Amino acid sequence: MVDPGHGGDDGGAKGPRGLKEKAAALEIGQAVAAKLEAAGFEAVFTRDDDTFIPLWDRARAANAQGADLFISLHLNAARTRAARGSEVYFLSLGKGDDDEVVAAENAGAGTAPTSADSVVASILDDLAQKAFLQDSERLAVAIQGQLNRLAGIKERGVKQAPFIVLRGAAMPAVLVEVAFISNPKEEEKLKDAAFRAKVADAITRGVRRYFAQANGSVRRRTVAGPG
């Protein structure tokens, strides 16, 4: 499941020259899906146009599709324009490594479910992803390792954070911050189809490496919901 971040009224971050995160994330997502398909995977989108999808619903869509992996694509932003590089996150059920990034990416969550059934479902969501934390970390490491090879992209490492979009995914799930849209040089790279193709290649190589290391042992587990 390829999840281009943001969409619709939720534009995400904006670059100094006007590039919107939601647009860049969708273009990267389309490139990633094409590379995954070429490598023999089936890629399904949470969104394939400029549509807002609540964060709470994205992992559930992946569950409904029976996806083996969930990859959420985003662009980072910082107050200083000098910040650069890529980083890959997997879920933290506690405090994360970067509160500023968490606040930015969780901003489009919408209203959290509050009904009794929804509260039970939310608890099951946490349990679902908890069962996959080690696999999610391995996937994050595999993808970050390939992104590190991109020329001009600084390594920022693998981190954990309580991203709402990763909760409830009954499969290994990661959030990729491809580059800093707030950095003018990286913003220009993000506008370049050739660079986006390199990013997509790196993510696809990371996915292939993950499955190769798992030696075919990775299987999506069924997590029963309420009722």
Side-chain angles (χ1 to χ4, degrees), residues 5-11 20 22-23 26 30 47-53:
H6 307 281
D9 292 337
D10 175 17
K20 292 182 179 179
K22 68 173 183 177
L26 181 57
Q30 291 167 337
R47 71 175 183 98
D48 58 6
D49 56 19
D50 187 17
T51 300
F52 173 72
I53 309 287

Side-chain angles (χ1 to χ4, degrees), residues 20-198:
K20 292 182 179 179
E21 182 180 3
K22 68 173 183 177
L26 181 57
E27 289 180 328
I28 293 168
Q30 291 167 337
V32 168
K35 294 292 184 180
L36 287 171
E37 293 275 357
F41 297 97
E42 180 185 358
V44 182
F45 290 101
T46 54
R47 71 175 183 98
D48 58 6
D49 56 19
D50 187 17
T51 300
F52 173 72
I53 309 287
L55 297 182
W56 301 96
D57 295 337
R58 296 183 184 227
R60 291 172 187 169
N63 293 344
Q65 287 284 345
D68 294 302
L69 299 178
F70 181 85
I71 302 172
S72 192
L73 299 166
H74 295 259
L75 288 312
N76 221 333
R79 293 186 181 90
T80 171
R81 291 189 177 187
R84 64 188 179 94
S86 64
E87 53 197 13
V88 183
Y89 286 84
F90 65 104
L91 184 67
S92 168
L93 297 177
K95 184 176 173 59
D97 290 328
D98 194 323
D99 291 340
E100 187 174 338
V101 175
V102 172
E105 302 300 7
N106 283 351
T111 304
T114 56
S115 71
D117 284 346
S118 295
V119 170
V120 171
S122 179
I123 293 170
L124 289 172
D125 284 350
D126 287 344
L127 292 174
Q129 187 47 220
K130 188 174 183 180
F132 289 94
L133 285 182
Q134 288 186 336
D135 287 337
S136 295
E137 181 177 13
R138 283 193 285 269
L139 176 61
V141 169
I143 292 176
Q144 183 68 68
Q146 297 301 317
L147 286 172
N148 291 346
R149 299 184 179 188
L150 280 178
I153 293 292
K154 179 184 177 183
E155 175 184 357
R156 297 179 66 89
V158 170
K159 301 179 180 180
Q160 275 188 278
F163 288 119
I164 290 172
V165 74
L166 301 181
R167 285 180 57 187
M171 75 261 332
V174 296
L175 185 146
V176 182
E177 296 280 5
V178 173
F180 275 82
I181 198 170
S182 53
N183 182 310
K185 291 182 179 179
E186 293 199 347
E187 180 188 18
E188 284 304 306
K189 287 183 179 180
L190 291 165
K191 294 178 180 178
D192 180 15
F195 175 76
R196 295 196 299 269
K198 289 180 180 178

